[in-house]
Amino acid sequence: MTDRPLTLMAVHAHPDDEATGTGGVLARYAAEGIRTVLVTCTDGACGDGPGGVKPGDPAHDPAAVALMRRQELDASCEVLKISDLETLDYADSGMMGWPSNDAPGSFWQTPVQEGAARLAELMRNYRPDVVVTYDANGFYGHPDHIQAHRITMAALEMTALSPKVYWTTMPRSMMQRFGEIMREFYEDMPEPDPAEAAAMAEIGLPDDEITTWVDTTAFSGQKFDSLAAHASQGENIFFLKMGKERFGELMGVETFVRVQDTTGAAVPENDLFAGLR
């Protein structure tokens, strides 16, 4: 035994991603005395500017947006009681197909081994017992999410560490429920075209393929507040429109697929640290 605390490391692409998929577990495990380390890979400069100004608009100032989003990220970390924040500060690549994908210095253009080497150094420093990131498609095909997955898996190979490794996911049953809720909030929302609907149907996993269901009901208020801390992106954060009470009812469980384990803990499991304590 050592005095080193159990440690969770979450590797995310942008400011606000930490809240959406892992806000509950970050808050829960911090409350349980586990060290929580957040690595945010990009500066978020392709997000909305003040007043909802979109990237590409002449009034959109990427440097100012990046600064604003860093301040929001700090506020979110305070809400979630995150122990340590590390920012790699690569340039936000924007959505797939945007010209910013090809910009020199964008995360999407960064060689995987370069980003992985930097992340591996952080892993050696913090020695996480659990690492969480996205799946190979970045959950929904965002280039920076895909790149975060790639550098995380490559960084793990560069180290001699053997943490439990998880990819964030969503049960298909919940994806269907979200679709129903969005239509409830946006009565005039058009039906997606068949190709878009087919792509949406592939997001997440069948319920029986999810290995890990973590109850974070008691921390849903913190998760909501961490999302709200990213106020500049509020237009894009659908969950805030639900209000805190309904959000808590719907977002009380966070789900993952376990892809690396040396503990032998049985699945399905309800704790990312099963087998470690």
Side-chain angles (χ1 to χ4, degrees), residues 47-235:
D48 289 357
V53 176
K54 304 297 182 186
D57 188 302
H60 187 275
D61 181 346
V65 171
L67 176 60
M68 174 179 63
R69 297 198 70 185
R70 173 55 195 266
Q71 293 167 343
E72 293 174 341
L73 179 60
D74 288 340
S76 172
C77 288
E78 181 66 26
V79 169
L80 297 175
K81 307 302 180 188
I82 289 171
S83 309
D84 300 270
L85 170 64
E86 299 283 353
T87 54
L88 300 184
D89 287 326
Y90 289 108
D92 190 342
S93 309
M95 299 296 285
M96 190 67 80
W98 287 13
S100 48
N101 294 176
D102 301 320
S106 72
F107 191 35
W108 188 237
Q109 291 299 317
T110 299
V112 169
Q113 294 301 301
E114 176 190 320
R118 293 180 63 195
L119 182 57
E121 191 60 32
L122 293 175
M123 289 179 175
R124 294 186 191 102
N125 178 39
Y126 288 106
R127 302 185 65 80
D129 301 281
V130 172
V131 172
V132 175
T133 192
Y134 314 101
D135 62 21
N137 190 46
F139 186 59
Y140 68 99
H142 193 297
D144 288 330
H145 290 223
I146 294 170
Q147 191 76 329
H149 163 87
R150 290 173 177 172
I151 73 162
T152 301
M153 303 313 290
L156 287 163
E157 290 185 3
M158 291 178 177
T159 72
L161 304 173
S162 55
K164 296 179 79 177
V165 180
Y166 294 89
W167 297 341
T168 57
T169 191
M170 186 78 72
R172 295 259 169 87
S173 60
M174 182 59 75
M175 292 298 297
Q176 182 178 351
R177 180 73 181 119
F178 280 146
E180 295 167 358
I181 293 167
M182 287 188 73
R183 283 187 287 275
E184 176 185 327
F185 277 86
Y186 302 101
E187 294 179 358
D188 58 348
M189 187 174 74
E191 289 294 323
D193 65 59
E196 183 180 342
M200 287 295 293
E202 293 301 312
I203 293 177
L205 287 173
D207 292 34
D208 61 1
E209 292 182 20
I210 292 173
T211 64
T212 311
W213 306 69
V214 183
D215 184 355
T216 60
T217 306
F219 304 93
S220 60
Q222 278 175 264
K223 180 171 178 170
F224 185 93
D225 289 343
S226 71
L227 281 166
H230 297 281
S232 68
Q233 309 307 304
E235 183 181 326

